Structure formats: structure tokens, C-alpha cells
Amino acid sequence: MTTMETTKILMLLTAHRYMEDTQHETGVWLGEFTDPYYVFLDAGCEVTLVTIQGGEPPIDPMSKLTEHVTASNRRFLEDDAAQFHFQNTLALQNIIADPFDGLFIPGGHGPLWDLARSIESGRLILEFHKQRKPIAALCHGPAAFLMSAKLDPSFLMGRKVTSFTNAEEALVARKNNIPYELETALKAKGVEFSSATLPFAAHVEIDGDVITGQNPLSANGTATALLKRIVQKAAASTNF
């Protein structure tokens, strides 16, 4: 990826900690944050982290288990600057789309609660959309689109998207500890839902300026697709 020193990416993270009817905790799925974060940094982008209230978001404990650890996770644990920014995210109410070139929303189950129910989150996504700036959401991150669709039903109607699927939800045994299944909720908003043939396989869906990734293995592909879309739009603007 060529250097993109002037490109500014906003990452909107969940800060919701608790699942329903269980003692299991949730939060940001670490690899869904760190993989895209370093895709952006290594491309030369400036990255800003934000949560609804600001401060340090919880990390899903399961994403720290050995079988889920990625190279970017290990890099993050040795990156003092990245950890500082993660521990001191900005508050959503102070953020507008104008300074940024793209928006990325990682998952973890948390977005099913806080981002999906936040008017500020829905407003910000629609602000990016109205400014024709690319938006990417990964795994449970597309739950944030539900509020945007509530505020503007045309945002999702007929749009091609993916997310963590109902089948994947059942396989990770969290189906009874979430308020709703995201695939079902997105379909209810009129989307054209797609997914990989096999659960947990990487899958990225691109529909204009809206990019979605199905699961943690889709993290790099979703982030790369966002950068490519930003480059395409910048080139089109220059040639206009």
C-alpha cells in the first residue's frame, strides 16, 4: 500500500462490557481493532479512536485467548503509543465527520448494545454517508448501522452487506446472551445479506461507500478495501 500521510481514519469502538443472562464479558474483539489499526498506520494514515463516552473500552476476554491472538495483537501489546490512544479514546459527542476521510467500526459483541442504540453514533455514520466518505464495519460492527437506518431508512434499504451470521452466532454459543441476531436485524432493514459459504471464512462485501466484513478473519480485507475506496475517491476528485 502506498503511503497516505494526509489520510485521516476515524475508528469507532464499542465500550459495552456485559453479555445478557451470563457472567461472560464482551467488548472490543482485539484482533478486529488491531488488524485494521496497523493496516491504516502502516499505510501512513492518521488514526483517531472514539467511543461513546470516551476513555478506555473493554476488550473481550475471549479475544485474548491464544487461539485468537494475531500478530497485530502482539504488536499492540508492545506499542505504548497505541495503548495510550486506546486507553484515552475521544468522546463521540465531540466528533464530526468533516476532518476525516473514512470511518471504520470494529466488532466484538458490544456494538449490539451501545452503538446500535446510540443516536450520536447513527448521526455520525449518516454524516459520513452524506459527505460521500467511505464507511467500513466489521463482524458485529454493522450493528451501528441499525440506528442510522432508524434515522434514515434509505441508508440500508437494498444495500449489500454482511456481518457475523446467525450460524456463526450459534457456533460460538452466545446466541442466548445477546439482545438479537445481527443478520436477522439487518435483513429486517431491507439489506441484501451475503456471507461466506462456510462459517468463519473471510468475506468482505463492498457496496459503493459502504464496506462490511463478516468476521475476525475478514479484518484485514475490510480495512484494505476501505483504503482502496478512499484512494479511488481521491483520484476521481483530482481528475474531475
Side-chain angles (χ1 to χ4, degrees):
M1 184 72 65
T2 56
T3 185
M4 303 175 69
E5 289 91 348
T6 61
T7 299
K8 293 179 169 56
I9 305 291
L10 181 67
M11 295 188 77
L12 173 59
L13 308 176
T14 180
H16 183 84
R17 183 181 296 273
Y18 297 105
M19 305 288 287
E20 295 185 357
D21 301 320
T22 178
Q23 294 183 343
H24 293 303
E25 294 186 5
T26 184
V28 178
W29 191 267
L30 189 56
E32 293 183 27
F33 160 65
T34 59
D35 285 6
Y37 181 75
Y38 287 113
V39 167
F40 301 145
L41 281 193
D42 291 345
C45 301
E46 178 183 322
V47 182
T48 300
L49 308 181
V50 61
T51 54
I52 291 178
Q53 299 295 335
E56 183 175 7
I59 296 173
D60 190 312
M62 287 186 65
S63 68
K64 297 180 181 180
L65 298 179
T66 302
E67 60 264 34
H68 299 306
V69 170
T70 67
S72 65
N73 287 8
R74 291 188 286 270
R75 181 175 172 184
F76 174 71
L77 295 176
E78 298 175 357
D79 187 338
D80 291 341
Q83 291 194 54
F84 175 83
H85 292 304
F86 187 83
Q87 293 162 5
N88 296 275
T89 67
L90 303 180
L92 180 58
Q93 65 180 14
N94 300 320
I95 301 298
I96 58 174
D98 296 54
F100 300 100
D101 301 291
L103 173 65
F104 192 96
I105 309 170
H109 280 84
L112 295 175
W113 287 271
D114 62 349
L115 299 185
R117 297 168 177 172
S118 167
I119 292 177
E120 282 296 299
S121 171
R123 169 200 62 79
L124 182 67
I125 291 167
L126 291 177
E127 206 172 288
F128 272 86
H129 184 58
K130 289 172 183 176
Q131 294 182 18
R132 298 183 178 181
K133 294 177 177 179
I135 303 160
L138 175 65
C139 199
H140 291 89
F145 293 166
L146 297 176
M147 179 55 76
S148 300
K150 185 175 181 180
L151 297 173
D152 179 1
S154 69
F155 174 64
L156 283 184
M157 186 64 65
R159 189 173 297 283
K160 297 176 181 178
V161 301
T162 189
S163 74
F164 204 65
T165 66
N166 292 353
E168 289 169 327
E169 209 70 78
L171 289 168
V172 299
R174 296 279 184 98
K175 187 175 180 178
N176 295 324
N177 307 124
I178 54 176
Y180 53 87
E181 292 173 305
L182 182 53
E183 176 185 339
T184 300
L186 289 169
K187 287 178 177 177
K189 295 295 184 182
V191 308
E192 293 183 25
F193 192 88
S194 70
S195 61
T197 304
L198 296 176
F200 306 111
H203 178 71
V204 178
E205 189 65 56
I206 302 172
D207 187 335
D209 290 332
V210 178
I211 300 159
T212 46
Q214 181 175 329
N215 48 38
L217 282 182
S218 311
N220 278 294
T222 308
T224 300
L226 178 67
L227 290 186
K228 287 182 178 178
R229 185 63 178 166
I230 290 171
V231 170
Q232 289 171 353
K233 295 184 77 69
S237 176
T238 302
N239 295 329
F240 182 73

